[in-house]
Amino acid sequence: MSIRPITMIGHRALEQRTRKVREVTPELRTLVADMFETNDAADGAGLAAPQVGSRWRLFVYSCPDAAGVLRRGVVINPRLERFGGLELDEETLEGCLSVPGEGFPTARFRGARVRGTDLEGADVLVEDDGGVLARALQHEVDHLDGMLYIDRLSPALRREALDAVTSRGWRAEGLLSWDPGATTQEEV
């Protein structure tokens, strides 16, 4: 296992839809193990394959559900269902490992359910109503569809987010990833 660089806003991998996983290969198992290690090193709630430069339709998660129970796993070829109504809590800031150090209020559905498979091909159902996990499920599937959370912000907040990205120098040519094994989000 190894920690992989995390792609940052502006990287092409974050703007593309992912490809369905047809077979779990040894390389895919290594990718998933590396994604868990990378997510842990970055102190993330989840990590989608495009965030480490891969085009496969899968993500890992490690965060609490609405009951405060830590949930951890992988979902391959997820299908997302949202429920419970769209909510915007001005006090809850959503962040992203691909936009490190920033956070903005983002409208998300209260609940989410994801169906897919695990590395052994077994059916997986992950569901949460009102916890960090519900938000993470929606966030990670967005990544698999080529979307960042800042794409869901109001126009004013989106402008603020893009200005922050520019002021941090992340739009500088060549700065397309960061290494969570060597630094923290705040240092990026």
Side-chain angles (χ1 to χ4, degrees):
M1 292 189 315
S2 62
I3 296 172
R4 296 189 182 202
I6 295 176
T7 58
M8 291 174 51
I9 185 170
H11 193 289
R12 194 177 125 171
L14 297 173
E15 300 168 356
Q16 299 174 336
R17 292 185 62 85
T18 52
R19 297 178 303 205
K20 185 175 182 178
V21 174
R22 303 249 182 243
E23 177 185 9
V24 175
T25 63
E27 292 80 14
L28 193 79
R29 289 179 185 279
T30 298
L31 171 65
V32 169
D34 289 354
M35 287 174 63
F36 274 116
E37 189 166 341
T38 302
N39 188 59
D40 291 346
D43 197 27
L47 188 68
Q51 292 182 276
V52 292
S54 173
R55 296 272 319 273
W56 294 118
R57 189 163 186 83
L58 66 92
F59 68 86
V60 299
Y61 61 93
S62 181
C63 59
D65 61 17
V69 175
L70 178 65
R71 306 272 299 275
R72 186 173 170 91
V74 59
V75 183
I76 299 172
N77 299 325
R79 296 172 314 280
L80 175 68
E81 299 170 49
R82 299 171 182 97
F83 57 88
L86 196 59
E87 297 179 345
L88 176 63
D89 177 359
E90 295 290 335
E91 302 300 315
T92 302
L93 303 182
E94 185 166 329
C96 179
L97 296 177
S98 292
V99 189
E102 297 298 330
F104 295 90
T106 307
R108 293 284 184 188
F109 282 82
R110 177 175 172 76
R113 177 181 306 116
V114 171
R115 296 174 196 275
T117 59
D118 65 14
L119 286 171
E120 308 313 318
D123 289 339
V124 170
L125 171 65
V126 184
E127 183 175 352
D128 190 33
D129 186 9
V132 174
L133 179 60
R135 181 172 292 275
L137 296 174
Q138 295 171 76
H139 181 107
E140 300 312 327
V141 171
D142 274 355
H143 276 300
L144 302 179
D145 293 335
M147 184 177 218
L148 291 173
Y149 85 100
I150 64 172
D151 298 325
R152 294 195 176 275
L153 298 177
S154 69
L157 285 179
R158 182 170 164 64
R159 177 77 263 147
E160 188 179 329
L162 293 174
D163 287 347
V165 165
T166 300
S167 72
R168 286 183 180 253
W170 296 342
R171 290 193 166 177
E173 194 169 324
L175 184 59
L176 296 175
S177 67
W178 68 282
D179 181 354
T183 187
T184 66
Q185 289 183 51
E186 291 74 28
E187 295 171 331
V188 173

